[in-house]
Amino acid sequence: MTVAKTEKTSLSGKVTDKITGEIIPFADVFLPDLKTGTRAKADGTYFIDNLPSIKTLVYVHMTGYTAITENIDLALITIMDFALEPAIIELATATVTGSSHATEARKNPVPITIIDQQYLSQNPTMNIVDALGKTPGVSGLSSGPNISKPVIRGLGYN
């Protein structure tokens, strides 16, 4: 019985910003079909070795940039640079509840108020506790000038 020996290869390169050309440190380079990958170094370079010489998918990702997915043939390509395009990231609204477990807002019997940047700019206060004190279920306990401690639905600060 003979065992077929597959050739092993490596993949290396650099991850940069597509617009500025600057290096992108610590970007993730992943080969999902092979369940292997690496993180680029501080200088933007990456190196993955002990790979089979096959066609596979490469996924490159970094927060703040659009991910790249490409099919490559590792038998032909051993050096590949990636240029990531900056992306705008919009963060979701954070919901703070008084429950010990996650609940959906429409199934929660306790009223929920969303505090956003617009609310904070329309209600200027000396500190965040005073700003939150104007919402239902939240009050502030003042213990001196500009010193407030939150009381949320009767639960004190300590």
Side-chain angles (χ1 to χ4, degrees):
M1 182 170 142
T2 60
V3 177
K5 194 173 188 180
T6 58
E7 284 187 43
K8 296 291 181 179
T9 186
S10 63
L11 182 65
S12 62
K14 189 188 309 186
V15 183
T16 58
D17 185 299
K18 188 174 187 175
I19 295 172
T20 65
E22 295 178 4
I23 61 164
I24 299 176
F26 312 117
D28 294 320
V29 181
F30 187 66
L31 292 91
D33 298 338
L34 302 175
K35 296 183 173 104
T36 189
T38 189
R39 179 163 285 163
K41 297 178 186 174
D43 64 357
T45 61
Y46 70 92
F47 179 78
I48 308 170
D49 64 349
N50 204 21
L51 299 172
S53 297
I54 62 169
K55 291 181 181 178
T56 188
L57 190 70
V58 179
Y59 177 75
V60 183
H61 176 263
M62 180 63 181
T63 304
Y65 292 89
T66 303
I68 294 176
T69 305
E70 287 193 28
N71 284 310
I72 63 167
D73 187 350
L74 291 172
L76 304 173
I77 299 172
T78 58
I79 298 173
M80 186 159 194
D81 295 337
F82 295 98
L84 299 179
E85 191 171 333
I88 297 172
I89 298 175
E90 186 173 322
L91 300 176
T93 304
T95 302
V96 179
T97 63
S99 177
S100 61
H101 58 282
T103 59
E104 290 184 36
R106 64 180 174 266
K107 292 182 180 179
N108 192 353
V110 181
I112 295 175
T113 304
I114 296 174
I115 306 295
D116 58 6
Q117 184 179 0
Q118 182 180 1
Y119 174 84
L120 292 174
S121 64
Q122 291 174 351
N123 298 289
T125 58
M126 295 302 287
N127 58 45
I128 191 69
V129 175
D130 290 340
L132 295 175
K134 296 178 181 180
T135 61
V138 180
S139 61
L141 178 64
S142 296
S143 59
N146 296 328
I147 300 174
S148 296
K149 297 175 181 164
V151 178
I152 302 171
R153 294 189 179 119
L155 183 61
Y157 59 91
N158 60 356

